[in-house]
Amino acid sequence: MGWGMSRRLLPCLLLAASLALVAPPASAAADPGRRAPAAPGTPTATNGFSSITLTWSQPAAGRRPHHFRVYEGDTVVARNTTTHVTVTGLGFGTTHTYRVAAVAHDGTESALSAPVTRHVWVSGMQPQCQPGPGPLTVADVGPTAFSLSWPAGETPRHVRVTVAGRQLDTAESSLRVGGLTPGTAYTATIRPLDCPGPPWPGTLHVTTPAGPGDAPAAPAGLAVTGSTDTGVDLAWTPPAGGAARYAVWSGTRLVTTTSRPSVRLTGLWRDTVRTVAVSALSGSGAESAATPPVEARTQRCAPATPAPVDVAATAVTASSVSLTWTSVVEASTFVVTDGDRQLATVAGPSAHLSGLPPATRHRLRVVTRPAGCPDSAPSRTARVRTAAGPADRPAAPADLRPVGGWPAEQGIVAVQWTAPPGDVAAYRIYEGATLVATTTATAWTGQFPPATTHLLSVVAVDAAGSESAPSNAVQVTASFFAPPAPPPGGPGGPPPPPPGV
């Protein structure tokens, strides 16, 4: 039995390794009693002025999911085919709680992850530098190694764990500490590297039990030597004197063991980072200190980007159609076609298609265009016929543009445009398939959640209700700050400062 961590711990650790980052066995995926994937790990979150980025760990076992859904309450607010996503369009200063579910190819959904709550604030300010996540805990204590962990908190943090004068840095919420002496008392402390202040609470005292102390020297030169969208190749330099085996760790999770100074991690997700380290094992199971951790990142793009699903078209008027769809991959650009003709490029999963002839048939498809990755294949066709009505259409408005100036209050957006020739009864402003406002003027001022970004277009409407083709699209950001206080001395005082962050 001689090469393991110890006769007592090795079987459990190897079982954990078989369920960790490697793909589950085919028999588990095919078991009809385990149709639902396992739940993802608890998310962590970071934020910007109007967004929250969530990151979670993939299910450690069970059926491999097809994609993930992010819930706020009972509402799906985001989807992606990897273990992170950014939820956008959030108001500055608002608070949100999310859970994540894994979804199989047939739509079967896992239980929800534990929740994470995040306040949309200035990135890096709150609550990153608030008091720490709580006490350290210890597990798998052996003669030459033990595992430390701590609650992840709301946001990932780079931390430094100090044990016997050794400083061990990580961005994970757990750490394997090896190369220790049997029968020795140790003290461990933790502190953040990205915030000032004293160490967090939870200094921990651990005494290693008696046992073999012939741990090898630590391996060196751990590096990523190759990657795909589902796996990463690692290699390292053996220690002087060699080792019986090597243990590959992700935090305190034993990924696998190997007798060679290289390994391939499989069953991962695209564009996913895992922090890994490698320790050497003697024939008696004594464990060396681990290498400095490295980030093992899979390739960003999948071989084939999933096409949009659930494409649905509805005739709105004799000149317009509303189109909606679902994307299971995070993307900010979608292309809508009618047969072989491109109709629109939009930023979200819906489009308002206007300026169409009356009583005409349309075969609409959608292509997902993720940034930096190949386009998806076209979606299935959604067939729709515009209503009967007059053939005349107004000309499209031109030169849609934002209007500057100090806003009257938080969240203000102002745009204006040039009227087309001919008679116009009104103008309609759209964001995707959503009607934002109707006005008879050639300018509009509205309000969105502060600091959120929106892609708007405007159409002209005639007396019969027919819509023109859309204007150019313009991206606008709702104002961040509230208006300043009146200057001293009333209106005659100095002008306010220009807006800015």
Side-chain angles (χ1 to χ4, degrees), residues 15 24 40 49 64 76 123 126 132-133 165 171 176 218 222 233 240 312 321 376 384 390 424 438 444 447 489 491 499:
L15 176 60
F49 288 108
R64 182 173 172 85
V76 178
S123 183
Q126 291 190 356
R176 183 70 175 175
L222 176 62
D233 292 328
V321 168
S376 74
V384 66
V424 175
T438 300
W444 174 76
Q447 194 167 25

Side-chain angles (χ1 to χ4, degrees), residues 51-70:
S51 64
I52 292 175
T53 297
L54 301 168
T55 302
W56 56 90
S57 59
Q58 67 192 71
R63 187 181 184 191
R64 182 173 172 85
H66 176 256
H67 66 280
F68 298 92
R69 293 174 184 157
V70 177

Side-chain angles (χ1 to χ4, degrees), residues 263-436:
V263 73
R264 171 170 289 181
L265 308 183
T266 61
L268 303 178
W269 289 81
R270 68 170 185 89
D271 198 20
T272 294
V273 178
R274 289 289 180 266
T275 301
V276 294
V278 176
S279 59
L281 308 175
S282 71
S284 66
E287 182 179 348
S288 76
T291 63
V294 300
E295 290 188 344
R297 182 185 295 272
T298 54
Q299 291 183 6
R300 185 167 180 268
C301 300
T305 299
V309 296
D310 302 329
V311 183
T314 304
V316 179
T317 69
S319 60
S320 60
V321 168
S322 175
L323 187 69
T324 61
W325 60 89
T326 298
S327 175
V328 298
V329 62
E330 186 177 28
S332 59
T333 303
F334 300 90
V335 179
V336 179
T337 60
D338 184 3
D340 296 329
R341 181 168 65 100
Q342 182 172 318
L343 281 188
T345 300
V346 296
S350 68
H352 183 78
L353 309 174
S354 59
L356 305 175
T360 53
R361 297 183 183 276
H362 301 272
R363 299 172 59 251
L364 304 175
R365 298 194 295 179
V366 184
V367 170
T368 301
R369 182 168 290 169
C373 292
D375 289 359
S376 74
S379 68
R380 292 185 176 180
T381 300
R383 291 175 169 82
V384 66
R385 179 186 176 94
T386 53
D392 292 339
R393 300 287 179 269
D399 191 25
L400 177 63
R401 58 199 182 275
V403 178
W406 191 267
E409 55 185 304
Q410 273 188 319
I412 293 299
V413 163
V415 293
Q416 62 184 26
W417 56 91
T418 301
D423 294 332
V424 175
Y427 298 95
R428 293 172 182 161
I429 300 163
Y430 286 94
E431 181 176 17
T434 302
L435 177 61
V436 175

Side-chain angles (χ1 to χ4, degrees), residues 89-119:
L90 306 177
F92 181 78
T94 56
T95 300
H96 303 267
T97 298
Y98 299 109
R99 295 173 182 262
V100 181
V103 185
H105 274 274
D106 60 6
T108 305
E109 190 174 277
S110 74
L112 294 175
S113 71
V116 62
T117 298
R118 190 74 167 135
H119 188 66

Side-chain angles (χ1 to χ4, degrees), residues 394 397 417 420 423-428 438-441 458-463 466 468:
W417 56 91
D423 294 332
V424 175
Y427 298 95
R428 293 172 182 161
T438 300
T439 179
T440 57
V458 61
V459 300
V461 186
D462 64 17
S466 296
S468 73

